[in-house]
Amino acid sequence: MGSDKRLRAIVAGATGYSGQELVRLVLAHPQMELVGAFASRTFEDSPLAAVHPRLTGLTSLPCRKLDEKEIGRLQADVIFLAIPNESALELVPTLLETGAAIVDLSGAFRLQDPSLYPKYYGFEHTRPDLLQQSVYGVTEFAREELKGARLIANPGCYPTSILIPLRPLLDAGVILTDRAIICDSKSGVTGAGKGPSVTTHFAEVSENFRAYNVFHHRHTPEIAQGLHVPDNPSALIFTAHLLPINRGILSTIYVQLKPGTGRAEVLDIWRETFVHSPFVRVFEDAQLPEIKFVVNSPFVDIGLLVDEESGQAVIISALDNLLKGAASQALQNANLALGLAEGAGVETSF
Amino acid sequence: MGSDKRLRAIVAGATGYSGQELVRLVLAHPQMELVGAFASRTFEDSPLAAVHPRLTGLTSLPCRKLDEKEIGRLQADVIFLAIPNESALELVPTLLETGAAIVDLSGAFRLQDPSLYPKYYGFEHTRPDLLQQSVYGVTEFAREELKGARLIANPGCYPTSILIPLRPLLDAGVILTDRAIICDSKSGVTGAGKGPSVTTHFAEVSENFRAYNVFHHRHTPEIAQGLHVPDNPSALIFTAHLLPINRGILSTIYVQLKPGTGRAEVLDIWRETFVHSPFVRVFEDAQLPEIKFVVNSPFVDIGLLVDEESGQAVIISALDNLLKGAASQALQNANLALGLAEGAGVETSF
Amino acid sequence: MGSDKRLRAIVAGATGYSGQELVRLVLAHPQMELVGAFASRTFEDSPLAAVHPRLTGLTSLPCRKLDEKEIGRLQADVIFLAIPNESALELVPTLLETGAAIVDLSGAFRLQDPSLYPKYYGFEHTRPDLLQQSVYGVTEFAREELKGARLIANPGCYPTSILIPLRPLLDAGVILTDRAIICDSKSGVTGAGKGPSVTTHFAEVSENFRAYNVFHHRHTPEIAQGLHVPDNPSALIFTAHLLPINRGILSTIYVQLKPGTGRAEVLDIWRETFVHSPFVRVFEDAQLPEIKFVVNSPFVDIGLLVDEESGQAVIISALDNLLKGAASQALQNANLALGLAEGAGVETSF
Amino acid sequence: MGSDKRLRAIVAGATGYSGQELVRLVLAHPQMELVGAFASRTFEDSPLAAVHPRLTGLTSLPCRKLDEKEIGRLQADVIFLAIPNESALELVPTLLETGAAIVDLSGAFRLQDPSLYPKYYGFEHTRPDLLQQSVYGVTEFAREELKGARLIANPGCYPTSILIPLRPLLDAGVILTDRAIICDSKSGVTGAGKGPSVTTHFAEVSENFRAYNVFHHRHTPEIAQGLHVPDNPSALIFTAHLLPINRGILSTIYVQLKPGTGRAEVLDIWRETFVHSPFVRVFEDAQLPEIKFVVNSPFVDIGLLVDEESGQAVIISALDNLLKGAASQALQNANLALGLAEGAGVETSF
């Protein structure tokens, strides 16, 4: 591709937290140009910088009302969707006809089994055919399928934090699966979106901490699917908690290693799996991952401790839910779909 | 009063932040009994403890839909109103007929000049007669009028933090008034109420700080009225800011002392004014008031530094906006109105 | 006891976070008088209110340098020790000779097996005989032994949050113990004490979250002892995390119930166990415990969800680490040791 | 300069908060190479990434013990000093001999009048000659002097937030100076440095807010010098407050405009002054600057409200104390000193 030809990018849902990060990343991307920003609500035709004063002086683009015809006219190479699940389900079929690569940050195309949608998302899935076509984009596990992909289901923030460390270990067969894998995850508030509610009111969150959606979080079947384990509490327990911080997820994962597997073997598997993955950092020394090491960065950090005698392992992973858990992973995926270098425009985000 | 006869108290607006504190204080009051809790919204007839799980095990009272007839039937001795301004304006005339003492925590009866209501509150005041009857209850300045009062306008949180230290100095004539008194105040988020909005979303408040309503805050005329100074920026500037904390106000107040007045004279005036005021604490040493010294307490702390050469003074005051700025001051006022000791049930709140 | 005879109480370690809470509670206790406050450091003979400006106007007591002879002279009925482990170990034998009841908030007398001290506390225990005499005071499980006790080992904050919900279930035999019980606990920063360090620096804690002391926390053997399970990761895994909040612990506990046991049975066991325990609140409805429901209160809240098919249970408990996790439980214990009502002076702390 | 010749940069004081930001910025700078990182303490020869796990995978450079000979050997083009005032005073004369441009982020060379150092910094200044040579680098006001400069005194964080909006107005003569200019500033905790102390302990800062160093802050004479007003409270009052946030400063500035000057005139002056200053953003609409718009960015945002009748103005400015208040301004200054584009490596920092 010629160096002065920039690819045309659109962000739909530009007013939310993930959308704002997408806008910021695309504006700084050396090979992309932001040609359109859309939102479903209230801010119609305001400058993006009025919606997000943080962008003052960085763009004069307006934020327009979401409209598929308008989007079609812009002849984008890539369309990022950071919109509600049902809006994405409705919009994607039409947008696919434009030929653009679509990176959908909602959950609308993440679960291969359509029967899970009524239970976990509250709607019947109308396009099970597209569920089969969509590429589930934990980038590090899907690079081949991502090349040239047109419909990419960008993973959930919690699932990314769990699949990155766990899946290589399950693939390598070093984890006992006759008891539940326990994923105790904690997330900052931006994971709940920007819509105001009592549960995101500062005075309800600050100096508080709580579990939510125990046994029923919609990320549970997504994690089970990614790990190839059954979606039931005998195999996998996922508990989400709300941290009084803006951004970041830390997952504490409890597994039983098979006899003969210790910390060194796990580190070997991770090192080998991620040797060409610049955004996965394996913590090999005593230091465990912490949220502050990854906030405002595209990295997911993974580390672990093992009780070598019993084989009990505690895995710790950390990422920024708006970046590796959303926008920067979306950019990794878009880059691969469009034939760019995976890290283009991603490195600059820290 | 016989020791086993408890006065009957009602809290209307029991689901908000101030209302919750009122409920907590009345439940612990040695001479009051909570006979009714009301709210305008959603929670109708739920147990109070379901609305505020913090109260689990402490009361079995339901939270009922606000209804003046229902309130009338309960034959209360005191009714606390922690409801919106316009609801208070509508409700108070009827409630006064019950003979109960009414402590209104809204702004509906605070400003003596009815013409200020359209500008600052957005409505015409329909009962200017009651504005003349209501007692503006900064307790420490109104003990005589509070005895037996039936309609008490409980002061705003910002005004209390400013009037307590400043009014005695203006009364004593030690402050130059030919230049603006500048009140730079900072408040925690509960001051904005419990209704969810983008401006109280955790991710908009945390790690942020901002000024708001500059030159236009509705507490400005209330402060001017309390200080007996004109309501214009040549005389008084009040700037409110939002702190990323739950509770507490700190006001930094800039005044020019008259020649001959220094720090010692100000401390003398304060000491004398508040000698019988257990909830005003004068900081006489190097330590200045801080928000954490007063949070969850009924105190307002005041201190100052003076540049003795120029007479420039920086006064610092701090209080808990939900207690001395709302509920515990309401209790001081109710106690006086009902003939109880001013501090009854107030001391236990720290 | 005559109503005007107050018991004489001493707080040693009055400058720390737990010590400050003890001072506050004792000052408000209807049957206790604070006759001495001591600290090991820097603040010698300053007024307590200069050390803790929060106490301004509430006490004129000085804070004196810790000295056992001085303590002896004060003829206290009860001595609260909120001092380092090794200081407590050194001081307790002498203090016992005064005849006072000693409530030790350190870990010096918590573990019955002296051989655990070198590993977990870094010192040889010099008085294994006293380990046998001391009463381990999770109040709700030790009321009989606490009556008249002279040496009370006040439990750790994390252990209290875990033993309260779990021990009745293990005693009732409804939990499978052939796999690890997993306790994923999260605590506010005051749990780490007041000594400044990089790890408690605001900028290292705020907007961060991290695990610490995985597999090696000194509360692990205390929990194992309290549950009567082996102190190894095959039986019990305890992981501590640091929350960016001041106070509060929430523990998420993963256990496998035996066939035939569901949520209803667990609630029955809890209800029956704690029927006479005013400071344990069983959450029986959908609402799970959260930290903000218990902060600044003497309660520990417990609740759970069960996957009835698999028997997997997630138990949630919450308490204030400085109150039920330290000072208010110490007061419950002191009350029982001295023949007072368990809740005297405890109810007023919320 | 040839595109593949990178300038050699050193960061001394790489373990502090500003030092970490400098390292991050230099590592990402397209025309600089980080050839050395030094610190005075504890971390000698550890990898930088062990000191700052956030840098894991981004650099293999060690962090070495500060040593002027070692620094000399590295033949740096630019040396950033983020070290204590007295260390900088001691080191600078020697380092100047290396011919490198020195950007000193301490206060050692900021005040032109050496007699102010004993009062505000607690030491006699030993090199008043260098005070005359040093360029005080609020970049936007010193571009000509910065070109080729060898000793740059990088401004304080508070002064930058105040001088940027105020100095153009004083230069234009639109502010009344017969009364005090009042600067009420609020800063996040990283402004206090990384050294642990009780005052930066999370539990002392969180849910708190306080004023400090009233009338005595060492930034006061720096602001007075930059504004060309007398350093006394009749002319200038500066009050610093500590916000419970990690980063960011917001200054609320009260001035009286001269008759004939209103909001429009001030905006005109600012627009004209900063037309070629990409990192100063003038807020011309109703939206006022807030801290969250600038955190993690190199911008300083300025805005104001004016009571047009009285001429009273409230100016609001905001910046990130570690970036425009320290590291990114240092980079602007280094770029100009070395003949690079002012914004090189600065734009990438947001």
Side-chain angles (χ1 to χ4, degrees):
Chain A
M1 163 185 7
S3 64
D4 46 2
K5 170 73 164 50
R6 290 182 169 231
L7 296 172
R8 299 169 63 82
I10 283 175
V11 176
T15 56
Y17 291 124
S18 296
Q20 178 176 6
E21 290 298 296
L22 284 164
V23 165
R24 189 175 67 82
L25 290 176
V26 171
L27 284 173
H29 194 295
Q31 291 154 294
M32 285 189 191
E33 181 186 6
L34 184 66
V35 298
F38 295 87
S40 53
R41 287 177 304 148
T42 57
F43 304 103
E44 190 178 344
D45 291 344
S46 297
L48 255 181
V51 179
H52 297 304
R54 195 173 169 77
L55 299 175
T56 300
L58 303 179
T59 175
S60 56
L61 216 61
C63 185
R64 293 149 91 182
K65 186 162 164 53
L66 192 55
D67 178 285
E68 59 200 59
K69 281 183 202 142
E70 197 58 41
I71 292 178
R73 240 173 260 135
L74 288 169
Q75 299 190 297
D77 298 291
V78 58
I79 301 171
F80 296 97
L81 299 181
I83 57 179
N85 302 302
E86 291 183 79
S87 310
L89 177 55
E90 193 187 320
L91 218 56
V92 158
T94 315
L95 296 181
L96 276 173
E97 293 170 16
T98 70
I102 297 173
V103 185
D104 175 20
L105 285 83
S106 88
F109 295 93
R110 288 184 193 153
L111 301 179
Q112 290 182 304
D113 178 355
S115 75
L116 293 166
Y117 277 90
K119 175 174 173 195
Y120 285 106
Y121 284 86
F123 58 79
E124 285 287 338
H125 204 287
T126 52
R127 292 298 300 266
D129 57 317
L130 290 179
L131 289 181
Q132 302 314 311
Q133 286 178 36
S134 74
V135 177
Y136 182 73
V138 175
T139 317
E140 287 72 11
F141 301 141
R143 287 197 182 96
E144 285 313 307
E145 304 95 296
L146 285 165
K147 286 179 188 160
R150 291 301 96 176
L151 177 54
I152 297 163
N154 214 58
C157 47
Y158 284 123
T160 299
S161 79
I162 291 166
L163 297 177
I164 287 281
L166 265 192
R167 181 158 153 172
L169 307 186
L170 282 156
D171 285 353
V174 300
I175 289 180
L176 274 182
T177 51
D178 65 344
R179 57 189 62 189
I181 293 170
I182 292 176
C183 303
D184 191 281
S185 294
K186 302 88 174 175
S187 172
V189 181
T190 51
K194 199 172 180 177
S197 74
V198 168
T199 57
T200 58
H201 192 295
F202 182 87
E204 303 298 310
V205 173
S206 176
E207 292 290 311
N208 194 16
F209 181 71
R210 63 183 179 87
Y212 65 98
N213 290 0
V214 180
F215 288 127
H216 300 297
H217 197 288
R218 62 173 54 144
H219 283 176
T220 313
E222 186 179 335
I223 297 164
Q225 171 184 287
L227 295 178
H228 310 302
V229 301
D231 175 25
N232 69 58
S234 296
L236 174 73
I237 299 177
F238 165 65
T239 310
H241 300 76
L242 188 67
L243 282 168
I245 64 175
N246 284 324
R247 330 165 42 134
I249 284 178
L250 187 134
S251 290
T252 310
I253 303 166
Y254 299 89
V255 291
Q256 168 87 47
L257 300 178
K258 287 191 181 157
T261 305
R263 186 164 183 270
E265 287 72 29
V266 171
L267 290 174
D268 281 345
I269 292 168
W270 281 349
R271 221 181 281 119
E272 195 173 322
T273 306
F274 299 116
V275 62
H276 298 302
S277 293
F279 303 119
V280 179
R281 302 191 297 194
V282 179
F283 275 46
E284 309 200 3
D285 302 320
Q287 174 72 59
L288 288 172
E290 303 185 10
I291 280 181
K292 83 185 170 92
F293 302 152
V294 293
V295 166
N296 293 316
S297 94
F299 299 114
V300 51
D301 290 350
I302 57 178
L304 88 161
L305 281 175
V306 176
D307 177 63
E308 303 284 347
E309 195 167 339
S310 66
Q312 293 282 359
V314 178
I315 296 170
I316 307 278
S317 69
L319 55 73
D320 184 323
N321 58 299
L322 296 180
L323 292 173
K324 183 61 181 169
S328 73
Q329 180 149 270
L331 206 60
Q332 288 179 267
N333 290 338
N335 284 337
L336 288 174
L338 298 172
L340 304 178
E342 181 184 326
V346 177
E347 288 96 344
T348 62
S349 69
F350 54 88
Chain B
M1 163 185 7
S3 64
D4 47 1
K5 168 74 165 51
R6 292 183 166 228
L7 296 171
R8 299 169 62 83
I10 282 174
V11 176
T15 56
Y17 292 124
S18 297
Q20 178 175 7
E21 291 297 298
L22 283 164
V23 165
R24 188 175 66 83
L25 289 175
V26 171
L27 284 173
H29 195 296
Q31 293 154 293
M32 285 190 190
E33 180 186 7
L34 184 67
V35 297
F38 295 86
S40 54
R41 287 177 304 148
T42 55
F43 304 103
E44 189 178 345
D45 292 343
S46 297
L48 256 180
V51 179
H52 297 304
R54 194 172 169 77
L55 299 175
T56 300
L58 304 178
T59 175
S60 56
L61 216 61
C63 186
R64 294 149 91 182
K65 186 163 165 52
L66 192 56
D67 178 286
E68 58 200 59
K69 280 182 204 144
E70 196 59 40
I71 293 178
R73 240 172 261 135
L74 287 169
Q75 299 190 295
D77 298 290
V78 58
I79 301 171
F80 297 97
L81 298 181
I83 57 178
N85 302 301
E86 291 184 81
S87 310
L89 177 54
E90 194 187 319
L91 218 55
V92 158
T94 315
L95 295 181
L96 278 173
E97 294 170 15
T98 69
I102 297 172
V103 185
D104 175 20
L105 285 83
S106 87
F109 295 94
R110 288 184 194 153
L111 302 178
Q112 291 181 304
D113 178 355
S115 75
L116 293 167
Y117 277 91
K119 176 174 173 195
Y120 285 106
Y121 285 84
F123 58 80
E124 285 287 338
H125 205 287
T126 52
R127 293 298 299 268
D129 57 317
L130 290 179
L131 290 181
Q132 302 314 311
Q133 286 178 36
S134 74
V135 177
Y136 181 72
V138 175
T139 317
E140 286 74 12
F141 301 141
R143 288 196 181 98
E144 286 312 307
E145 304 96 295
L146 285 165
K147 287 177 188 162
R150 292 299 96 177
L151 177 54
I152 298 163
N154 213 59
C157 46
Y158 285 123
T160 299
S161 79
I162 291 166
L163 297 177
I164 288 281
L166 264 192
R167 182 157 152 175
L169 307 186
L170 283 156
D171 284 353
V174 299
I175 289 179
L176 275 181
T177 52
D178 66 344
R179 57 190 59 189
I181 293 169
I182 292 175
C183 304
D184 192 281
S185 295
K186 303 88 175 174
S187 172
V189 181
T190 50
K194 199 170 179 178
S197 74
V198 169
T199 58
T200 57
H201 192 294
F202 181 87
E204 304 299 309
V205 174
S206 175
E207 293 290 309
N208 194 15
F209 181 72
R210 64 183 179 87
Y212 66 97
N213 290 358
V214 180
F215 289 128
H216 299 298
H217 198 287
R218 61 173 55 144
H219 283 176
T220 313
E222 186 180 336
I223 297 164
Q225 170 184 288
L227 295 177
H228 310 303
V229 303
D231 175 24
N232 70 57
S234 296
L236 174 73
I237 299 177
F238 166 65
T239 310
H241 300 76
L242 187 68
L243 282 169
I245 63 175
N246 283 326
R247 327 163 48 133
I249 284 178
L250 187 135
S251 289
T252 310
I253 304 167
Y254 299 89
V255 292
Q256 168 87 47
L257 300 178
K258 286 190 181 158
T261 305
R263 186 165 184 270
E265 287 72 29
V266 171
L267 291 175
D268 281 345
I269 293 168
W270 282 348
R271 221 181 282 121
E272 195 173 323
T273 306
F274 299 116
V275 62
H276 298 303
S277 293
F279 304 119
V280 179
R281 302 192 297 194
V282 179
F283 274 46
E284 307 200 6
D285 302 320
Q287 175 72 59
L288 289 172
E290 303 184 10
I291 280 180
K292 83 186 170 90
F293 303 153
V294 292
V295 165
N296 292 317
S297 95
F299 300 113
V300 50
D301 290 350
I302 57 178
L304 89 162
L305 281 175
V306 177
D307 177 64
E308 303 284 345
E309 195 167 339
S310 66
Q312 294 281 358
V314 178
I315 295 170
I316 307 279
S317 69
L319 55 72
D320 183 323
N321 58 298
L322 295 181
L323 292 174
K324 183 60 182 170
S328 73
Q329 181 150 267
L331 206 59
Q332 288 179 267
N333 291 337
N335 284 337
L336 290 173
L338 299 172
L340 304 178
E342 182 183 324
V346 177
E347 288 96 343
T348 62
S349 68
F350 53 88
Chain C
M1 166 184 3
S3 64
D4 47 1
K5 168 72 165 50
R6 290 184 168 227
L7 296 172
R8 299 168 63 81
I10 282 175
V11 175
T15 56
Y17 291 123
S18 296
Q20 179 175 5
E21 290 298 297
L22 284 164
V23 164
R24 188 175 67 84
L25 290 176
V26 171
L27 284 173
H29 194 295
Q31 290 154 294
M32 284 189 191
E33 179 186 6
L34 184 66
V35 296
F38 294 87
S40 54
R41 285 177 306 148
T42 57
F43 304 103
E44 191 179 342
D45 291 344
S46 298
L48 256 180
V51 179
H52 297 303
R54 193 172 171 77
L55 298 174
T56 300
L58 303 179
T59 175
S60 57
L61 216 61
C63 186
R64 293 149 92 183
K65 185 163 165 53
L66 191 56
D67 178 286
E68 59 200 58
K69 281 182 202 144
E70 196 59 42
I71 293 179
R73 240 171 260 135
L74 288 169
Q75 299 191 293
D77 297 292
V78 58
I79 302 172
F80 296 97
L81 298 181
I83 57 179
N85 303 300
E86 292 184 81
S87 309
L89 177 54
E90 196 187 318
L91 218 56
V92 158
T94 313
L95 296 181
L96 277 173
E97 294 171 15
T98 70
I102 297 173
V103 185
D104 176 20
L105 285 84
S106 86
F109 296 93
R110 287 184 194 152
L111 302 179
Q112 291 181 303
D113 178 355
S115 75
L116 293 167
Y117 278 90
K119 176 174 172 194
Y120 285 106
Y121 284 85
F123 59 79
E124 285 287 337
H125 205 287
T126 52
R127 294 297 301 267
D129 57 317
L130 292 178
L131 290 182
Q132 302 314 311
Q133 286 177 36
S134 73
V135 176
Y136 182 73
V138 176
T139 317
E140 286 74 12
F141 301 141
R143 287 195 182 100
E144 285 312 308
E145 302 96 296
L146 285 165
K147 286 178 188 160
R150 290 301 95 175
L151 177 54
I152 298 163
N154 213 58
C157 47
Y158 285 123
T160 300
S161 80
I162 291 166
L163 297 177
I164 288 281
L166 264 193
R167 182 156 152 175
L169 307 186
L170 282 157
D171 284 354
V174 299
I175 290 181
L176 273 183
T177 52
D178 66 344
R179 56 189 61 189
I181 293 170
I182 292 176
C183 304
D184 192 282
S185 295
K186 302 88 174 175
S187 170
V189 182
T190 50
K194 200 172 179 178
S197 73
V198 169
T199 57
T200 58
H201 191 295
F202 181 88
E204 304 297 310
V205 173
S206 175
E207 293 290 311
N208 194 17
F209 182 71
R210 64 184 179 87
Y212 66 97
N213 289 1
V214 179
F215 288 128
H216 299 297
H217 198 288
R218 62 173 53 144
H219 283 176
T220 313
E222 187 180 335
I223 297 164
Q225 170 184 289
L227 294 178
H228 309 303
V229 303
D231 175 24
N232 70 56
S234 296
L236 174 73
I237 298 178
F238 165 65
T239 310
H241 300 76
L242 188 67
L243 281 168
I245 64 175
N246 284 325
R247 329 163 47 133
I249 284 177
L250 188 134
S251 289
T252 311
I253 303 167
Y254 299 89
V255 292
Q256 168 86 46
L257 299 177
K258 287 192 181 157
T261 305
R263 186 165 183 270
E265 287 72 28
V266 170
L267 291 175
D268 281 345
I269 293 168
W270 282 348
R271 222 182 281 120
E272 194 173 324
T273 305
F274 299 116
V275 63
H276 297 303
S277 293
F279 303 119
V280 178
R281 302 192 296 195
V282 179
F283 275 45
E284 307 200 6
D285 302 320
Q287 175 73 58
L288 289 172
E290 303 185 9
I291 279 181
K292 82 184 171 92
F293 302 153
V294 292
V295 165
N296 292 316
S297 94
F299 299 113
V300 51
D301 290 351
I302 57 178
L304 88 161
L305 282 175
V306 177
D307 178 64
E308 303 285 347
E309 194 167 339
S310 67
Q312 293 282 358
V314 178
I315 296 170
I316 307 279
S317 69
L319 53 75
D320 183 322
N321 57 300
L322 295 181
L323 292 174
K324 183 60 182 171
S328 73
Q329 179 149 270
L331 207 59
Q332 288 179 267
N333 290 336
N335 284 337
L336 290 174
L338 298 171
L340 304 178
E342 181 183 326
V346 177
E347 287 96 344
T348 62
S349 68
F350 52 89
Chain D
M1 164 183 5
S3 64
D4 47 1
K5 169 76 164 50
R6 291 184 168 227
L7 295 172
R8 299 168 63 81
I10 283 174
V11 175
T15 56
Y17 291 124
S18 296
Q20 178 176 6
E21 290 298 296
L22 284 164
V23 164
R24 188 175 67 83
L25 290 175
V26 171
L27 284 173
H29 194 296
Q31 291 154 295
M32 284 190 192
E33 179 186 7
L34 184 66
V35 296
F38 294 86
S40 54
R41 287 178 306 149
T42 56
F43 305 102
E44 188 178 344
D45 292 343
S46 298
L48 256 180
V51 179
H52 297 304
R54 196 173 167 76
L55 299 175
T56 300
L58 303 179
T59 175
S60 56
L61 216 61
C63 185
R64 293 150 93 183
K65 186 164 165 51
L66 192 56
D67 177 287
E68 58 199 60
K69 281 183 202 142
E70 197 58 41
I71 293 179
R73 239 172 260 134
L74 288 169
Q75 299 191 296
D77 297 291
V78 58
I79 301 171
F80 296 98
L81 299 181
I83 57 179
N85 302 301
E86 292 184 80
S87 309
L89 177 54
E90 194 188 319
L91 217 56
V92 158
T94 315
L95 295 181
L96 277 172
E97 293 171 16
T98 69
I102 297 173
V103 185
D104 176 20
L105 285 84
S106 88
F109 296 94
R110 287 183 194 155
L111 301 179
Q112 291 181 305
D113 178 355
S115 75
L116 293 167
Y117 277 91
K119 176 175 172 194
Y120 285 106
Y121 284 85
F123 58 79
E124 285 288 336
H125 205 287
T126 53
R127 293 298 301 267
D129 57 315
L130 291 179
L131 289 182
Q132 302 314 311
Q133 286 177 35
S134 74
V135 177
Y136 181 73
V138 175
T139 317
E140 286 73 11
F141 301 141
R143 287 195 182 98
E144 284 313 306
E145 304 96 295
L146 284 165
K147 286 178 188 159
R150 291 300 96 175
L151 177 54
I152 298 163
N154 213 59
C157 47
Y158 284 123
T160 299
S161 81
I162 291 165
L163 297 177
I164 288 280
L166 264 193
R167 182 157 152 174
L169 306 186
L170 282 158
D171 285 353
V174 300
I175 289 179
L176 273 182
T177 52
D178 66 344
R179 58 190 59 191
I181 293 169
I182 292 175
C183 304
D184 192 282
S185 295
K186 300 89 174 175
S187 172
V189 181
T190 50
K194 200 172 178 176
S197 73
V198 169
T199 57
T200 57
H201 191 296
F202 182 87
E204 304 298 310
V205 173
S206 175
E207 292 291 309
N208 193 17
F209 181 71
R210 63 185 179 87
Y212 65 98
N213 290 359
V214 179
F215 288 128
H216 299 297
H217 197 288
R218 63 174 50 144
H219 283 176
T220 313
E222 186 180 335
I223 297 164
Q225 170 184 287
L227 294 177
H228 309 304
V229 302
D231 174 24
N232 69 57
S234 296
L236 174 73
I237 299 178
F238 166 65
T239 311
H241 300 75
L242 187 67
L243 282 169
I245 64 175
N246 283 326
R247 325 163 50 134
I249 284 177
L250 187 135
S251 289
T252 310
I253 303 167
Y254 299 88
V255 291
Q256 168 85 48
L257 300 177
K258 286 190 181 159
T261 306
R263 186 165 183 269
E265 288 71 28
V266 170
L267 290 175
D268 281 345
I269 293 168
W270 281 348
R271 220 181 282 120
E272 195 172 323
T273 306
F274 299 116
V275 62
H276 298 303
S277 293
F279 304 119
V280 179
R281 303 193 294 195
V282 179
F283 275 46
E284 308 200 6
D285 302 321
Q287 175 72 59
L288 288 172
E290 302 184 10
I291 280 180
K292 82 185 171 91
F293 302 154
V294 293
V295 165
N296 292 317
S297 94
F299 300 113
V300 51
D301 290 351
I302 57 179
L304 88 163
L305 281 175
V306 177
D307 177 63
E308 303 284 347
E309 195 167 338
S310 67
Q312 294 282 359
V314 178
I315 296 170
I316 307 279
S317 68
L319 53 73
D320 184 323
N321 58 300
L322 295 181
L323 292 173
K324 183 61 182 172
S328 73
Q329 179 149 268
L331 206 60
Q332 288 179 266
N333 290 337
N335 284 337
L336 289 174
L338 299 172
L340 304 179
E342 182 183 326
V346 177
E347 288 97 343
T348 60
S349 68
F350 54 87

